[in-house]
Every structure is written in C-alpha cells, then in structure tokens.
Amino acid sequence: MELTDEYNEESFRTIVLAGSSEELRERRVACQKVLLEQLNVIPIEEWMFRVNTMHDLIAQTAVLICEAQMKEAGYGPPPCAYSFIVFGSSGRQEATLWSDQDNGLIVEGEPDGEKNRYFEFFGTLLSDMLEEVGYEKCAGKVMCSQVMWRKTLSEWIEQLDSWRTQLEWEPIRYFIISSDMRHVAGSVELSAKWQEAFYEGFAENEQLSNAVLRNTVRHKATLNLLGQVLTERFGDYAGGFDVKYGVYIPLVNIVRRLSLLHGIRAGSTLERIEALDRLGKYQHLEDIRRAFLLAMRLRVNTPYSVQDGLLISSDYVAESELKNKQLLSELRESLLLVRRLHRALQRQLRSAERWRS
C-alpha cells in the first residue's frame, strides 16, 4: 500500500473525534500503525514531526474529554483559563512512540480554594487518562497531577525564581527540565507569560549559567580509552548500547546549554542547532546535527515489544545491530564528537570555577 499524506491525515483526524479514553487509545493504536509503516521510508525529521503531531492531538483531545467529565462529575466548567504544557522530549517535539508523560498546568490568576480543588482533580484525571491511552506516568513525577508542576502563573513565577537562585543540583535540574516547556492546549497567552518569566534575567546571571553547565557535564562514559564503543556487560541488555543516555541526551544537553546561553527560545534540538548556526560563533554544528539525526534514527529503531497494541522499548541498540560496520563507525564518530564537546565544556566549567575562587 502506498503511503500518502492523505492517509496520514485521516488517521490524525480520527483522534480528535474520540469521546472517551477507550476510543482515544484505539485511535492512537491505529495512528501508530500508520506511523510504523512510514518509519525509515520518509526522512527521520518528518517522521518525528508526525509522531509528535499525533501526541499533541491526543493530549488536546484528552484535555477536552477531561473537561466534559469534570462537568459530569459536578465540578462544572474550568473556573478560569489554564494552559496544558509539556516538557522533556515532548517539549522538544522529539518524543518516541513509547515516551512517557512529562507535563504540567499553568492556571490563570492567584491561587484560591475553588481553583485548587478543580485543578487538583482535573490534573489527576488528565494524568490518569493519558496513562490509560498509553503514556506511562513519569518516574520523576513531572506531571500535572503533582502540585510542583500544577500552579497558578504567579506561583510558577515564584518557583522559577526559586530554582534560579538556589543553584544546587536538584533545583537546577528542575530549571533545566523547564527550559524545554512547550504549549499544547488551553491558553496560549498563559504559556507565553510563563516563558517570559523563565527567560527573565538568565543572560545576565553568570552564576546560574555556570550551575546549568555544571549539571550539563554529568556524563556517562560511552567510549573506552581505545575509542571503542562501550556496551552493557551484564543483564537483559548485555551487548547492547544505551543510545538514549549514551549519545542522544548528551547532545540534547550540550545544544540546550548553548541555546540558553544565547537566549535562544527555539524548542527542538534541530531548531536550536539552526539558531546557533545563524550566530556564526560555533564550529562543528553540522557535525552535531548529523550526530543528532543518527541518535534519533537509532533511538526510534531500537527493539520494542507490543502490549495491548502499545509499544515498549528499552532504548538499547541491539548487539546484532552493532555488528553492522557502517552503523558502528557512524556511532563511534558521534561518540567521539560528544566526548570532544563534553571535554570542552568541562574546561569551561573549570575555568569559571577558578575565576570565582
């Protein structure tokens, strides 16, 4: 069967017509089937765009279904405007077909009892529904069901400021997670105000920039002293390579850090690379882009299992795949680049810390 945009659009169109979590799950599975047929047939950038379009449509539909269920439960309509936002790979529009939840809520105005009651129930209902539709709950609890990620705009501004000023590992980790925020549903204006608050004063805050750099250079070694790719030695993934944390996340972190440094507000890693390139200040950006595309291609092609129509993957490249000499050579080149970039950032951090002392 020839794959066409019309065929793809039809599978997307059915998502927004779902009236329950059961229907939404069924339509996700159907859309996912179409996308799997397109994998490695169209460019990886276009394929990832389609996957994340599906995720957005599912989230937008889930929000509407939850609003209707809140009315049926006696809570009435939302007491004020709100925004449903996403973080992590979803925020960067790089989520896979098996990505979990990373989301939050921005609520209009000041906190009060009515808003707290409504959105506490709404956030829990929405997170539960997304789980029913096939998005596992975030192990780190970055979800709209959690009070840390469900706040009024004024509370969010206070929290962002707190994370900016504490400078310890955990608050800076939350701050970095927040840097990938993207609006998905609800009030665009609230999301825009949130972003303005996030970037407020970052460029002039050298201590904050160094704290972000300190978190960025935490890195899992993926090459040995001889420059050979390190694979898992034991366990279920013995002989395999952790593409997510071995190459994908380090590249995301490096590009994000440079983007924050220059106040670049582009969302995806590829858009950030393009924006950095326009500055004309950095070498190796084309190498970084090529390595990132390889990382995405490897990540979406890792072995997966199917449970009730939904996909589960470990993000490990199988040992058998690593026997492909061309692939192994490309992976090794990407990891050598990551190592060079990582060492350059380490030198920057050491220099900044010596200057402070």
Side-chain angles (χ1 to χ4, degrees):
M1 177 178 60
E2 183 181 355
L3 297 171
T4 66
D5 287 341
E6 290 77 14
Y7 182 42
N8 204 89
E9 288 170 8
E10 179 59 31
S11 65
F12 285 165
R13 198 155 33 241
T14 64
I15 290 172
V16 300
L17 299 175
S20 67
S21 58
E22 294 80 11
E23 287 183 4
L24 199 50
R25 182 186 176 99
E26 288 171 7
R27 292 170 192 197
R28 171 186 172 156
V29 171
C31 189
Q32 186 173 273
K33 184 174 182 291
V34 175
L35 290 165
L36 283 172
E37 290 170 348
Q38 297 173 345
L39 179 60
N40 300 321
V41 175
I42 61 177
I44 185 63
E45 306 99 304
E46 173 62 23
W47 190 80
M48 291 299 293
F49 174 78
R50 294 183 184 189
V51 168
N52 283 271
T53 297
M54 178 194 75
H55 291 319
D56 285 359
L57 290 172
I58 290 171
Q60 290 160 7
T61 306
V63 164
L64 294 176
I65 294 171
C66 282
E67 280 194 14
Q69 291 185 354
M70 291 288 286
K71 288 181 184 177
E72 291 173 8
Y75 284 85
C80 61
Y82 69 94
S83 173
F84 176 74
I85 55 178
V86 290
F87 304 98
S89 60
S90 292
R92 298 187 303 275
Q93 293 184 291
E94 295 162 9
T96 65
L97 288 174
W98 45 80
S99 289
D100 62 2
Q101 294 187 45
D102 282 291
N103 53 55
L105 288 173
I106 310 168
V107 178
E108 185 182 43
E110 296 299 323
D112 62 42
E114 181 187 4
K115 288 179 189 176
N116 291 344
R117 282 190 298 275
Y118 182 93
F119 286 105
E120 179 181 3
F121 192 89
F122 180 82
T124 301
L125 184 66
L126 180 54
S127 183
D128 288 346
M129 181 174 293
L130 290 172
E131 183 180 35
E132 291 169 16
V133 174
Y135 300 93
E136 285 189 16
K137 290 188 174 177
C138 173
K141 298 187 177 181
V142 182
M143 296 177 292
C144 58
S145 57
Q146 305 297 311
V147 68
M148 180 183 288
W149 303 97
R150 183 190 70 246
K151 294 182 178 295
T152 64
L153 180 61
S154 60
E155 289 174 317
W156 264 116
I157 291 171
E158 288 179 11
Q159 179 161 275
L160 289 171
D161 188 56
S162 174
W163 289 343
R164 262 195 300 262
T165 54
Q166 290 185 54
L167 303 182
E168 286 94 8
W169 169 261
E170 197 71 2
I172 292 299
R173 185 174 76 86
Y174 294 142
F175 183 80
I176 291 171
I177 289 171
S178 297
S179 69
D180 289 329
M181 186 279 264
R182 184 170 63 87
H183 173 85
V184 171
S187 169
V188 175
E189 184 181 0
L190 279 174
S191 293
K193 288 179 178 177
W194 187 103
Q195 283 204 314
E196 288 300 322
F198 175 86
Y199 286 99
E200 181 76 30
F202 182 89
E204 297 81 26
N205 193 332
E206 189 173 352
Q207 283 189 318
L208 176 58
S209 178
N210 289 338
V212 170
L213 177 57
R214 197 173 300 115
N215 279 45
T216 300
V217 297
R218 291 239 177 160
H219 180 61
K220 177 181 178 181
T222 51
L223 292 170
N224 64 17
L225 293 175
L226 299 176
Q228 297 169 320
V229 177
L230 287 175
T231 56
E232 294 297 310
R233 296 181 60 192
F234 308 106
D236 294 338
Y237 310 114
F241 176 77
D242 184 352
V243 66
K244 179 178 179 180
Y245 289 101
V247 62
Y248 169 73
I249 291 296
L251 287 169
V252 165
N253 289 345
I254 289 165
V255 172
R256 183 202 288 118
R257 193 265 165 177
L258 292 176
S259 298
L260 284 171
L261 191 63
H262 294 287
I264 291 170
R265 302 192 185 189
S268 75
T269 303
L270 289 174
E271 288 172 337
R272 288 168 176 173
I273 291 170
E274 290 174 9
L276 288 167
D277 190 39
R278 287 193 291 271
L279 295 178
K281 297 184 64 170
Y282 296 102
Q283 299 177 337
H284 309 303
L285 287 172
E286 183 54 38
D287 293 335
I288 292 172
R289 184 179 188 277
R290 188 163 49 248
F292 182 75
L293 289 174
L294 173 68
M296 285 209 300
R297 180 161 54 85
L298 289 176
R299 193 174 177 217
V300 301
N301 279 286
T302 52
Y304 62 82
S305 59
V306 183
Q307 292 186 9
D308 298 325
L310 300 170
L311 309 186
I312 299 172
S313 174
S314 65
D315 284 314
Y316 277 82
V317 177
E319 183 178 13
S320 58
E321 288 292 310
L322 296 175
K323 292 178 181 177
N324 181 316
K325 290 184 179 179
Q326 181 179 346
L327 185 149
L328 188 61
S329 175
E330 290 176 356
L331 177 59
R332 182 175 175 276
E333 285 300 312
S334 296
L335 293 174
L336 285 169
L337 174 65
V338 168
R339 186 165 70 179
R340 288 198 301 274
L341 295 170
H342 181 255
R343 287 175 175 173
L345 292 179
Q346 285 181 316
R347 288 194 295 272
Q348 287 181 23
L349 181 60
R350 285 196 295 269
S351 175
E353 290 180 337
R354 277 199 302 270
W355 185 84
R356 281 182 61 199
S357 61

